[in-house]
């Protein structure tokens, strides 16, 4: 067991300076003064304890690549997420849906889960028809546990410029897949307005 003494606790509202007793992977007690003889004691003075952060847009298999192969960014490391206080991540593919794929994304999400991070993701990428693992948007969302929706680019200069009819179809596919798979399936649309010069 671990006992953190005199740490400022947010859960998420401020609870003030408290002691926090942790056993296994759970917080067992938060109180003004906790005594536990067999616990490892950590001094939390001048430190803050908060719930983990959620980052809902991470290129966990790496991003970049728009300036050529040399510009591809590496995969995200679990240790870097944790250092930033992130305990839940939502992964997706970026512009590069050609050299990066849903297979790698799903594999990375499962790997992050094995390391203790809550990891979810979106099938698809910037292009249409959408990149999928099973060959079908609905099947990816229904049968792949970490997949919670579909990503598509709409008015971005890198998008496939899909029609309203195509957007309505993939939105319906995403919604129905969520109903069947008992998930709150999301359609993540990337939208970038052109800037005036």
């Amino acid at each position: 067991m671990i006992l953190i003494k005199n740490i400022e606790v947010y859960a998420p509202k401020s609870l003030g300076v408290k002691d926090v007793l942790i056993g296994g992977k759970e917080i067992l007690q938060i109180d003004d003064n906790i005594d536990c003889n067999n616990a490892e004691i950590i001094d939390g003075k001048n430190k803050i304890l908060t719930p983990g952060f959620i980052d809902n847009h991470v290129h966990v298999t790496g991003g970049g690549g728009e300036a050529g192969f040399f510009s591809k960014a590496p995969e995200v490391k679990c240790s870097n997420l944790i250092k930033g206080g992130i305990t839940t991540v939502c992964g997706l593919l970026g512009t590069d849906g050609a050299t990066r794929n849903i297979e790698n994304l799903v594999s990375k999400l499962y790997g992050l889960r094995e390391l203790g991070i809550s990891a979810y993701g979106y099938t698809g990428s910037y292009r249409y028809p959408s990149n999928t693992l099973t060959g079908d948007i609905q099947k990816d969302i229904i049968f792949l546990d970490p997949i919670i929706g579909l990503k598509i680019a709409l008015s971005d200069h890198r998008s496939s410029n899909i029609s309203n009819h195509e957007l309505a179809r993939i939105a319906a596919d995403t919604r129905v897949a969520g109903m069947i798979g008992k998930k709150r399936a999301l359609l993540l649309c990337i939208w970038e307005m052109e800037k005036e010069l």
Side-chain angles (χ1 to χ4, degrees):
M1 292 210 282
I2 298 173
L3 177 57
I4 305 173
K5 300 288 284 179
N6 303 310
I7 192 160
E8 188 173 346
V9 177
Y10 288 84
K13 292 183 179 181
S14 175
L15 301 180
V17 175
K18 301 286 183 183
D19 290 356
V20 179
L21 181 63
I22 302 168
K25 295 182 179 182
E26 295 182 21
I27 294 175
L28 302 175
Q29 185 179 356
I30 299 173
D31 212 331
D32 290 332
N33 186 23
I34 300 172
D35 289 321
C36 186
N37 296 333
N38 59 344
E40 172 190 346
I41 296 177
I42 297 174
D43 183 10
K45 189 174 182 182
N46 298 322
K47 293 187 172 58
I48 296 173
L49 178 67
T50 69
F53 296 120
I54 300 169
D55 192 334
N56 65 355
H57 189 123
V58 181
H59 300 284
V60 294
T61 60
E66 293 180 32
F69 293 115
F70 76 93
S71 67
K72 290 175 68 166
E75 288 189 3
V76 169
K77 292 183 178 178
C78 184
S79 59
N80 290 340
L81 295 171
I82 293 169
K83 283 179 189 172
I86 297 166
T87 59
T88 301
V89 67
C90 199
L92 41 79
L93 296 180
T95 306
D96 182 3
T99 69
R100 301 184 195 272
N101 56 52
I102 302 300
E103 291 88 338
N104 289 342
L105 174 64
V106 171
S107 174
K108 181 68 176 185
L109 295 173
Y110 279 125
L112 289 170
R113 286 178 171 193
E114 289 173 3
L115 293 170
I117 297 284
S118 296
Y120 304 93
Y122 295 93
T123 196
S125 65
Y126 269 68
R127 57 183 284 214
Y128 180 82
S130 297
N131 296 12
T132 63
L133 179 66
T134 64
D136 184 90
I137 293 167
Q138 286 190 355
K139 288 180 181 178
D140 275 16
I141 295 169
I142 294 167
F143 294 115
L144 301 175
D145 182 54
I147 299 300
I148 60 168
L150 171 70
K151 173 191 177 174
I152 190 74
L154 293 182
S155 68
D156 189 289
H157 66 96
R158 300 159 291 183
S159 75
S160 296
N161 298 304
I162 67 173
S163 69
N164 289 339
H165 178 73
E166 291 164 332
L167 178 59
R169 183 179 325 121
I170 63 173
D173 282 349
T174 302
R175 181 176 183 275
V176 171
M179 292 166 35
I180 295 169
K182 293 287 190 191
K183 296 178 179 179
R184 187 175 178 192
L186 305 170
L187 178 59
L188 176 64
C189 298
I190 304 302
W191 185 285
E192 182 178 300
M193 301 298 290
E194 291 187 28
K195 299 176 183 128
E196 286 187 33
L197 299 176

